[in-house]
Amino acid sequence: MVCYELYGLPGAGKSTVANILISELRAKGYKVGSWDDVYYRCPNVIFKQSLKREMLFHINEYKLFFWCWKAYKNCKNPNRAFYNKLLILTHQLLMVAEENNYDIVILEEGAIQYISSLRYLEDFSDDKDYERISRYLNKRIIIHPVFCNIDIAESMSRVRNRGYGSKRFTYSVGTENFKQAMFYKEKNLRKISSTFAPPIEINMKSPVADNARLLVTEILSRSLDERNIA
């Protein structure tokens, strides 16, 4: 199984591109999993306690669980919503890879996005812990990052138009400056993605259909190369 994780600033169009990708790849006969297929793989383990009980039966995940626990302890923000998302997603993704029900998984958000949010929203600054998490995932799953590149000014405009609220992106970075907060987020995303494979970068000023078509070609080419290597 190969996983493609789309990441980028808010409003970049990650969900739109992901939906087109999934539809086109499925139309070509590939078994493609979406974020929902991974995150809600088995509804009875989505709740925290049930999820942790399932993880206890997978000894090879103990290191991941320990590093995620350290991340949890290091977060200064008591909410830790993105920590919970990271823990659930990484476990479910490993289970999906083990069950091997999909050829390709397309995530509109994933480990890169969640770790970045831990850093800039929940004040988690221990680089060693998140690097350990990314290295662990890299060993277990083929993850290709896809950077949906968008101008900061355009992202800010889309955030305001969608009613997200600039406070959401500024309250923990020590500034009320919306532009500075978005710049900080983009810097985090690039730093964290560098611990995975070299990213595929797409310009989100181009039409969504063009970006999706380019990505489909890239994904099919990589899938063929990886099968030949195997």
Side-chain angles (χ1 to χ4, degrees):
M1 184 193 84
V2 182
C3 175
Y4 288 84
E5 179 180 329
L6 282 66
Y7 67 101
L9 290 176
K14 301 182 291 293
S15 299
T16 305
V17 172
N19 289 335
I20 296 174
L21 278 177
I22 291 167
S23 296
E24 292 202 11
L25 289 167
R26 284 176 178 172
K28 293 180 182 297
Y30 286 85
K31 293 183 289 183
V32 185
S34 66
W35 184 90
D36 283 346
D37 294 324
V38 173
Y39 200 82
Y40 298 111
R41 156 189 153 261
C42 189
N44 68 314
V45 298
I46 288 301
F47 300 103
K48 297 175 191 175
Q49 295 304 318
S50 297
L51 176 66
K52 289 174 182 176
R53 281 198 295 270
E54 187 183 60
M55 291 181 74
L56 289 175
F57 289 97
H58 294 82
I59 298 174
N60 55 359
E61 288 187 41
Y62 282 7
K63 285 185 179 180
L64 176 66
F65 186 82
F66 175 71
W67 292 323
C68 284
W69 176 80
K70 283 190 70 181
Y72 177 88
K73 299 296 287 185
N74 286 331
C75 287
K76 297 179 180 64
N77 186 299
N79 183 30
R80 296 183 172 98
F82 288 97
Y83 160 80
N84 291 320
K85 282 194 170 186
L86 176 65
L87 182 63
I88 291 172
L89 180 84
T90 50
H91 171 69
Q92 300 288 58
L93 191 58
L94 290 168
M95 292 295 95
V96 166
E98 190 175 296
E99 291 160 2
N100 200 28
N101 291 326
Y102 304 106
D103 301 316
I104 301 167
V105 167
I106 306 292
L107 299 178
E108 61 198 64
E109 58 182 34
I112 295 170
Q113 203 81 23
Y114 295 155
I115 293 171
S116 172
S117 295
L118 280 174
R119 284 174 60 88
Y120 93 102
L121 279 176
E122 301 188 346
D123 296 328
F124 163 53
S125 58
D126 192 328
D127 290 352
K128 289 183 179 179
D129 282 339
Y130 83 71
E131 286 172 0
R132 289 183 182 117
I133 293 170
S134 64
R135 282 200 300 269
Y136 180 90
L137 291 174
N138 285 334
K139 287 180 180 178
R140 298 284 304 279
I141 309 166
I142 301 172
I143 297 179
H144 294 300
V146 180
F147 181 45
C148 299
N149 194 1
I150 187 174
D151 183 77
I152 287 177
E154 177 64 21
S155 175
M156 290 169 63
S157 174
R158 294 183 185 184
V159 167
R160 290 190 177 106
N161 289 338
R162 293 184 182 184
Y164 292 163
S166 61
K167 286 290 184 181
R168 177 179 172 185
F169 303 103
T170 59
Y171 74 84
S172 73
V173 296
T175 177
E176 291 297 318
N177 187 306
F178 192 18
K179 184 175 182 179
Q180 186 176 343
M182 298 296 270
F183 176 80
Y184 183 71
K185 179 174 175 62
E186 183 180 56
K187 183 179 178 181
N188 271 332
L189 286 169
R190 289 184 180 275
K191 179 177 177 62
I192 290 157
S193 67
S194 68
T195 61
F196 290 85
I200 304 166
E201 186 165 331
I202 55 175
N203 181 3
M204 297 308 288
K205 285 188 177 180
S206 302
V208 172
D210 291 348
N211 279 325
R213 186 167 56 250
L214 288 171
L215 278 175
V216 167
T217 302
E218 179 72 20
I219 288 170
L220 294 179
S221 173
R222 289 185 178 221
S223 297
L224 183 61
D225 291 343
E226 283 157 0
R227 286 181 180 180
N228 289 336
I229 291 171

